[in-house]
């Protein structure tokens, strides 16, 4: 062998070794050899993920920008740091950031601080609580208005919370719901299960009726509304009555016992896969929505078969409906809107984008957090809500971020955070909730299904904010642990500093020059104005900040 | 109608606050010229809304000679020749003021869509957000300096289709003030508090001067945000505040406090949310509110959509009528006693009727093909029946009435031109009733 060859071989080996040490120091041994290598692997995973996030984000931006160009749309300016921080806090955590966090963020100069905030928030309890509430509302919409079904909420939320904590892949979550064992020996057992951590509430809230379950499963997980076809052929879309009942047939094995309206016991007959169409002599077999016949497998029940079909990577509806839903969580409206009405009469505003998002969602194993990371990293998400051009008027162009209403719990938490008395929102005992101040607050701001980007303040809501207990306590310096009290008493803050802190607490931003000037004028007595009470004046300013639209919405 | 005008001092203070950004001329009665041609007293409308689709055969279109007639028998009324369901004994005594319309017909059998069509007069198609009847009529009947909101809704059950209860393209200014709860007539748990408007007074320690200063600050604060984020979110916020402040400073808001009514009268209405809601409706109408709706969603022990009687229809309808009948009859008598009946139209309806054929669960299912609505009170010739259904109740035999016709009739009875237009959110003008609508002339005075 020539020396060149040997040299080449040695060079090769050296590169390999060098490569190893640069990649992961796997060969660096020491006392903490394993720990270092774990950290290194994690760092590698983090980097890989960051790259993935960046890739998908860039693709999203490209497709959105393409749409703008094709339609002569001028996007607005990028959101400033304060705007961005408040927005991600609200979207991920359901509450505004505390003053210290805002101050720090505004002063931070690191280039990837925005992405790091998202990472931090996704790891916090706030995300778990906020996402649990969101998905509970999505899956159990009946519980919003029908008091009788509300008692199932705690058990369902416990189950959901566990999954949000472990970031269970979405397909697994849905399979667990559809596959929940439904056979119970007696009423006590059934009732106990309803109260425990389980998705059983999904069934109970729909009276465990096959037709309701079929309609809900289709609407929530596939975004397809078939309920009209329950009674007659759908007027607009192609669904026929028999098709509806064929889908309901997957739930045909369910046997319920009722006491009045309330389902007291549920049993399941295995392998029943046909159902009679009401008021007819027809019996239909279980069939998928696209008309395909299931390939039945030995010992695999109809619901499990359905669950596999729904959550399959090939299912044309599942990933798109989910991706669309996540998009709407962050933008206020979906690419298909309403998000649970995929139909020919309701096409996506950006079909290529939706398909891409669905593909990525599947490719990343239905990881909800990944989608949130990717979307919040886009330039599109980070646009301001400020309108700078008339072409930004249509919210479906995403040329500016839409104002988005908050849920009652989020608003309550924001008030508490601003006021300094923040404790995580405690859901009240179901039936007496309305009698407490917190319950009253939540009821007054209950959304009644209105569009998030077109939230309208009602007279009762404005009365509650103007005169109600929550804001009054917040703007009273004597309240325990109050932000205002701390500001008023602080010897380190001059008037300017006090006002800035009030703005940071309420609106998560610094006041503009002119706002500052006006506020200082209001607070500091001058020769012209009478000797004013500075504390009262600061309280007034805080009151105005908390009653503003800017406080009330996510923007 | 009591109109407490704004005196000069109030006007100056409110104007200085800048909290009322609209044109100043709104405050000067002399310049008020856009309310639909109104004589001395503007009329009012009370809508008794029955969500779920009330059974018409068991209420206003009895079929005693057919199996479809079911368990109930008809009773005679104060008008010879007119019979209604046996569970309306009190209303039957007031029949000279009542007009059942037995030939309503529509196409929607789905709760959500039917509610929208019946409550707006238009189908939910395309981008137009049609306003609900209360918004449209209260706008037409509104007085310029009213202290109370022009449209009050008591205990609405909006869950299935919030858009059917919304002001649509008319905007948040015409949204109803909502009091009461949708889980309504629970007689055991009724409390006056549920009908009160909460948080009307300033918090402790805050006087008028400080409140004014705060509102002034708020106004200044909103300006920049409103300019850079135009749209309904900011608009509705500012509108709601303006209306709320106006209400706070009015005396008319006493209407919501029922405690000064005689106990016997309150008993006659019925001590439940629907009954007391009807009493509240009278008080609001007395103070010039042009449109009040009261929903009867359920009764003691039932669910909140009780008229949707797919199961055990008869027991449910009987229980509901035991609340409905005394409240409605007392409302008519009370309005009459106070000289308000001639100027108050009371409309009773739901989104459709129920199947004449009784199903396997002793229930009736959705039936839009032929159903009943009822007009009562002022602006109409009471004591007659409009239309007829077939002996089995399955179809309309005579004088079919579609929702547009009914809207048109209601409009005219209130002195409002049903062809009056409003500009919709797509720029197209929309009339109160659709252009093809034909009012029921035999019913109008």
């Amino acid at each position: 062998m020539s020396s060149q060859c040997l040299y080449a071989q040695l060079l090769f080996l050296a590169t390999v070794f060098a490569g190893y040490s640069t990649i992961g120091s796997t060969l660096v041994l020491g006392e903490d050899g394993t720990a270092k290598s774990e950290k290194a692997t994690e760092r590698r995973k983090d980097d890989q993920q960051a790259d993935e996030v960046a890739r998908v984000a860039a693709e999203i931006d490209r497709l959105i920008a393409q749409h703008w160009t094709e339609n002569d749309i001028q996007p607005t300016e990028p959101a400033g740091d304060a705007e961005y921080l408040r927005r991600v806090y609200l979207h991920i955590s359901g509450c505004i950031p505390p003053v210290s966090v805002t101050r720090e963020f505004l002063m931070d100069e690191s280039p990837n601080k925005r992405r790091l905030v998202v990472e931090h928030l996704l790891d916090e309890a706030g995300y778990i609580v906020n996402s649990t509430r969101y998905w509970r509302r999505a899956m159990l919409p009946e519980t919003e208005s029908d008091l009788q079904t509300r008692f199932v909420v705690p058990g369902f939320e416990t189950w959901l919370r566990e999954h949000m904590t472990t970031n269970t892949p979405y397909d697994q979550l849905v399979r667990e719901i559809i596959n929940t064992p439904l056979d119970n020996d007696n009423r006590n057992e059934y009732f106990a299960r309803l109260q425990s951590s389980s998705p059983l509430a999904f069934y109970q809230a729909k009276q465990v009726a096959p037709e309701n379950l079929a309609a809900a499963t289709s609407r929530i997980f596939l975004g397809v509304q078939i309920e009209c076809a329950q009674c007659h052929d759908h007027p607009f879309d192609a669904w026929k009555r028999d098709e509806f009942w064929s889908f309901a047939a997957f739930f045909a094995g369910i046997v319920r016992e009722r006491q009045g309206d309330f389902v007291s016991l549920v049993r399941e007959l295995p392998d029943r896969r046909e159902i009679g169409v009401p008021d007819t002599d027809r019996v239909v077999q279980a069939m998928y929505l696209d008309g395909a016949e299931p390939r039945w497998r030995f010992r695999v029940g109809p619901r499990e078969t359905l669950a596999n079909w729904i959550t399959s990577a090939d299912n044309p509806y599942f990933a798109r409906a989910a991706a669309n839903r996540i998009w709407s969580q962050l933008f206020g409206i979906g690419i298909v809107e309403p998000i649970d009405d995929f139909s020919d009469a309701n096409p996506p505003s950006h079909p290529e984008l939706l398909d891409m998002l669905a593909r990525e969602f599947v490719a990343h194993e239905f990881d909800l957090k990944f989608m949130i990371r990717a979307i919040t990293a886009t330039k599109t998400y980070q646009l301001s809500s400020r309108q700078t051009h008339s072409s930004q008027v249509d919210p479906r162009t995403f040329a500016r971020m839409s104002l988005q209403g908050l849920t009652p719990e989020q608003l309550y938490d924001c008030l508490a955070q601003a006021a300094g008395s923040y404790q995580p929102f405690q859901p009240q005992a179901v039936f007496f909730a309305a009698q407490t101040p917190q319950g009253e607050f939540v009821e007054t701001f209950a959304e009644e299904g209105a569009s998030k980007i077109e939230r309208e303040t009602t007279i009762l809501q404005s009365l509650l904010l103007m005169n109600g207990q929550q804001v009054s306590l917040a703007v009273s310096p004597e309240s325990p642990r109050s932000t205002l009290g701390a500001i008023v008493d602080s010897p380190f803050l001059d008037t300017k500093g006090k006002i800035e802190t009030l703005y940071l607490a309420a609106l998560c931003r610094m006041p503009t020059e002119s706002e500052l000037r006006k506020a200082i004028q209001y607070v500091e007595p001058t020769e012209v104005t009478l000797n004013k009470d500075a504390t009262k004046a600061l309280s007034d300013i805080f009151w105005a900040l908390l009653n503003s639209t800017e406080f009330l919405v996510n923007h | 109608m009591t109109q407490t005008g704004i005196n000069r001092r109030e006007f100056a203070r409110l104007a200085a606050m800048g909290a009322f950004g609209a044109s100043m001329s709104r405050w000067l009665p002399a310049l008020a010229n856009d309310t639909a041609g109104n004589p001395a007293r503007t009329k009012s409308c009370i809508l008794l809304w029955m969500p779920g689709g009330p059974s018409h055969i068991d209420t206003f279109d009895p079929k005693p000679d057919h199996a479809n007639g079911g368990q109930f028998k008809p009773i005679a009324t104060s008008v010879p020749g007119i019979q209604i369901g046996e569970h309306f004994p009190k209303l039957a005594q007031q029949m000279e003021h009542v007009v059942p319309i037995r030939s309503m017909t529509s196409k929607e059998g789905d709760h959500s869509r039917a509610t929208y069509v019946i409550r707006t007069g238009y189908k939910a198609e395309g981008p137009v957000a049609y306003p609900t009847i209360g918004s449209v009529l209260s706008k037409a009947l509104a007085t310029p300096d009213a202290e109370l909101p022009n449209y009050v809704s008591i205990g609405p059950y909006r869950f299935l289709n919030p858009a059917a209860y919304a002001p649509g393209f008319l905007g948040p200014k015409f949204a109803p003030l909502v009091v009461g709860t949708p889980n309504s007539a629970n007689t055991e748990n009724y409390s006056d508090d549920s009908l009160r408007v909460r948080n009307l007074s300033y918090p402790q320690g805050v006087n008028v001067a400080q409140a004014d200063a705060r509102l002034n600050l708020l106004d200044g604060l909103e300006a920049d945000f409103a300019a850079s984020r135009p749209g309904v979110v900011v608009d509705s916020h500012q509108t709601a505040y303006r209306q709320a402040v106006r209400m706070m400073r009015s005396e008319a808001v006493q209407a919501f406090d029922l405690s000064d009514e005689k106990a016997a009268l309150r008993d006659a209405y019925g001590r439940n949310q629907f009954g007391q809601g009807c009493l509240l409706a009278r008080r609001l109408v007395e103070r010039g509110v042009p449109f009040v709706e009261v929903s009867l969603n359920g009764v003691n022990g039932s669910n909140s959509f009780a008229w949707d009687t797919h199961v055990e229809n008869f027991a449910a309808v009987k229980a509901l009528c035991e609340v409905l009948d005394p409240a409605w009859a007392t409302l008519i008598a009370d309005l009459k006693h106070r000289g308000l009946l001639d100027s108050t139209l009371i409309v009773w309806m739901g989104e459709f009727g129920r199947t004449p054929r009784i199903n396997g669960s002793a229930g009736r299912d959705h039936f839009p093909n032929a159903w009943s609505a009822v007009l009562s009170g002022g602006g109409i010739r009471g004591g007659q029946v409009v239309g007829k259904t077939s002996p089995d109740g399955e179809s309309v035999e005579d004088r079919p009435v579609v929702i547009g016709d009914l809207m048109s009739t209601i409009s005219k009875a209130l002195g409002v031109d049903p062809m009056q237009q409003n500009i919709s959110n797509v720029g197209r003008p929309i009339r109160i009733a659709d252009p093809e609508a034909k009012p029921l002339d035999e019913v109008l005075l």
Side-chain angles (χ1 to χ4, degrees), chain B residues 19-44:
Chain B
F20 303 89
S23 141
M24 298 289 198
S25 69
R26 268 200 307 127
W27 296 101
L28 303 175
L31 293 181
N33 60 4
D34 55 0
T35 40
N38 79 36
R41 190 198 142 76
T42 322
K43 300 212 157 118
S44 293

Side-chain angles (χ1 to χ4, degrees), chain A residues 39 56 79 93 111 151 187 271 287 435 461 542:
Chain A
K39 255 206 204 143
V56 176
S93 219
F151 80 97
R187 293 209 189 111
D271 286 329
M287 273 207 317
Q435 265 74 297
Q461 288 166 1
F542 203 32

Side-chain angles (χ1 to χ4, degrees), chain B residues 1 17 53 105 128 161 171 237 263 274 309 320 337 346 401 419 427:
Chain B
M1 133 173 89
M17 253 170 48
T105 181
V128 181
N161 195 339
H237 193 75
F274 182 74
T309 51
L320 285 159
H337 177 67
I346 306 166
V401 178
M419 293 296 114

Side-chain angles (χ1 to χ4, degrees), chain A residues 430-449:
Chain A
V430 163
F431 293 109
F432 305 112
Q435 265 74 297
T436 65
Q438 187 178 286
E440 184 203 340
F441 189 92
V442 170
E443 292 240 355
T444 308
F445 280 95
E447 290 156 278
E448 314 231 346

Side-chain angles (χ1 to χ4, degrees), chain A residues 56-301:
Chain A
V56 176
E59 188 56 16
I60 293 173
D61 281 330
R62 187 185 69 78
L63 289 168
I64 294 267
Q66 191 180 311
H67 191 258
W68 289 335
T69 320
E70 284 165 5
N71 293 283
D72 264 331
I73 292 169
Q74 256 185 53
T76 188
E77 59 204 23
D81 275 344
E83 204 178 347
Y84 172 81
L85 183 73
R86 184 176 185 273
R87 186 184 299 167
V88 282
Y89 256 80
L90 280 171
H91 273 145
I92 300 178
S93 219
C95 187
I96 51 176
V99 174
S100 53
V101 168
T102 311
R103 274 201 217 270
E104 233 182 270
F105 186 75
L106 292 177
M107 291 193 307
D108 187 347
E109 309 233 317
S110 28
N112 55 354
K113 66 178 180 180
R114 289 193 178 194
R115 188 170 65 80
L116 289 177
V117 163
V118 169
E119 286 310 315
H120 164 76
L121 286 171
L122 286 174
D123 257 341
E124 290 274 294
Y127 168 72
I128 298 170
V129 172
N130 195 40
S131 56
T132 299
R133 267 188 223 137
Y134 172 81
W135 287 105
R136 185 262 295 167
R137 277 212 167 93
M139 294 176 180
L140 302 182
E142 306 80 6
T143 56
E144 286 302 295
S145 63
D146 192 352
L147 277 185
Q148 289 178 326
T149 56
R150 271 204 204 161
F151 80 97
V152 301
V153 167
F156 189 76
E157 283 202 343
T158 309
W159 171 83
L160 252 184
R161 206 173 300 127
E162 282 162 13
H163 283 296
M164 291 296 126
T165 309
T166 54
N167 196 33
T168 308
Y170 181 64
D171 61 331
Q172 199 179 309
L173 197 78
V174 173
R175 270 199 301 277
E176 227 181 280
I177 294 176
I178 303 180
N179 286 333
T180 306
L182 282 182
D183 209 21
N184 300 278
D185 281 332
N186 56 57
R187 293 209 189 111
N188 291 335
E189 184 193 319
Y190 181 61
F191 198 72
R193 280 187 64 207
L194 274 176
Q195 308 278 64
S196 68
S197 165
S198 95
L200 204 48
F202 184 80
Y203 291 80
Q204 182 71 6
K206 291 142 183 58
Q207 279 96 48
V208 205
E211 60 272 22
N212 296 347
L213 292 165
T217 305
S218 174
R219 188 171 46 79
I220 299 169
F221 303 131
L222 302 174
V224 178
Q225 288 186 14
I226 53 173
E227 35 254 53
C228 316
Q230 179 177 342
C231 308
H232 52 82
D233 293 342
H234 198 295
F236 305 127
D237 263 333
W239 307 110
K240 301 253 174 302
R241 206 165 166 228
D242 280 8
E243 283 168 353
F244 174 91
W245 286 100
S246 303
F247 196 64
F250 283 101
F251 298 97
I254 295 174
V255 174
R256 326 165 261 176
E257 238 178 63
R258 302 213 327 215
Q259 287 177 327
D261 264 333
F262 178 75
V263 176
S264 49
L265 178 57
V266 176
R267 292 205 169 86
E268 193 170 24
L269 299 172
D271 286 329
R272 200 196 273 178
R273 326 164 181 152
E274 54 184 30
I275 202 170
V277 180
D279 292 330
T280 70
D281 303 324
R282 292 197 299 283
V283 167
V284 289
Q285 304 294 316
M287 273 207 317
Y288 298 134
L289 280 182
D290 54 8
E293 276 182 31
R295 265 207 310 231
W296 300 107
R297 294 199 351 250
F298 181 61
R299 280 187 172 251
V300 177

Side-chain angles (χ1 to χ4, degrees), chain A residues 440-441 444-445 460-468 470, chain B residues 199:
Chain A
E440 184 203 340
F441 189 92
T444 308
F445 280 95
L460 293 178
Q461 288 166 1
S462 50
L463 285 172
L464 182 58
L465 290 171
M466 281 198 285
N467 304 321
Q470 286 80 12
Chain B
N199 299 308

Side-chain angles (χ1 to χ4, degrees), chain A residues 473-495:
Chain A
L473 285 175
V475 304
S476 159
E478 292 91 36
S479 298
R481 285 162 53 219
S482 82
T483 306
L484 183 63
I487 289 174
V488 160
D489 290 338
S490 166
F492 305 111
L493 296 171
D494 57 358
T495 305

